[in-house]
Amino acid sequence: MLLEALCAEGVPSRRLRVGAPLYEFQALIRAAAGRPLVSGNEQDGRLLNLLGAEMRRINPTSLTDVFAQRVRQAEQLCPDAVLVCDDLRAPDADSVVGLGFQLVMVKAPDEVRRARKAQRGDLSAGDETHSTEEPLTASPWRCVDNDRDMDALREQARMLVAEVIR
């Protein structure tokens, strides 16, 4: 929604994801297992938890190192673009903030969050107690309450964009 709001204001933007390598591995593993992903939006939460844990076990900065490289590339290719990361997890927050990102915490009551995850149609749910699901310890720049309908969330995205571009 932030990208849509930025586009509506004529502001160039790019979506970058810390978990990009995990999503790529997920697609390869599912294809190798004979159950390829149908769309780019599907998530196998259990597999992503496992992949993220193993990547961080091998090298705790593996995901953020790749992310930092992608940020530098985006800054060179699109120096005026607003970069948006929409998949930040607690273990990566300090590194991402160190790259100049402002944290926006999106909060939703458990029942709303679970209902939206169910609507997304994940192939499997991630483990709610997994280390990547821990709450952020860093202080967010802004908090967004995601406790109403999607139109209300879009309006909050528009208000955030107005604040960013002024």
Side-chain angles (χ1 to χ4, degrees):
M1 291 181 186
L2 284 174
L3 294 172
E4 291 171 10
L6 286 162
C7 182
E9 292 294 327
V11 177
S13 60
R14 300 270 316 256
R15 176 187 190 192
L16 299 174
R17 304 182 92 188
V18 173
L22 303 179
Y23 307 127
E24 293 166 15
F25 296 146
Q26 170 191 239
L28 290 170
I29 290 169
R30 300 260 332 164
R35 300 288 187 263
L37 299 174
V38 176
S39 76
N41 296 327
E42 292 174 301
Q43 289 190 9
D44 186 334
R46 184 174 168 187
L47 178 58
L48 290 169
N49 281 164
L50 175 74
L51 292 170
E54 288 303 302
M55 291 281 296
R56 288 181 179 95
R57 180 189 61 80
I58 294 166
N59 176 1
T61 63
S62 59
L63 296 174
T64 54
D65 290 347
V66 171
F67 182 75
Q69 181 181 28
R70 290 181 177 183
V71 166
R72 286 190 296 275
Q73 289 171 342
E75 289 172 338
Q76 288 177 346
L77 293 172
C78 308
D80 297 330
V82 173
L83 305 180
V84 175
C85 172
D86 64 358
D87 70 344
L88 179 69
R89 296 291 184 253
D92 309 314
D94 290 340
S95 294
V96 172
V97 168
L99 294 169
F101 282 77
Q102 299 273 9
L103 297 181
V104 175
M105 180 181 287
V106 180
K107 299 184 301 183
D110 270 348
E111 64 275 3
V112 171
R113 187 181 56 77
R114 286 193 180 111
R116 295 224 174 114
K117 280 180 85 172
Q119 287 175 339
R120 193 170 65 191
D122 288 352
L123 299 167
S124 72
D127 180 356
E128 301 266 336
T129 62
H130 193 269
S131 63
T132 59
E133 301 302 328
E134 294 173 4
L136 291 175
T137 56
S139 297
W141 171 66
R142 295 287 180 270
C143 286
V144 171
D145 288 315
N146 183 8
D147 56 357
R148 295 183 288 156
D149 62 22
M150 298 307 265
D151 288 336
L153 189 57
R154 277 187 189 83
E155 180 56 30
Q156 290 187 73
R158 283 191 286 273
M159 291 180 352
L160 272 174
V161 165
E163 198 170 345
V164 167
I165 64 175
R166 65 178 159 147

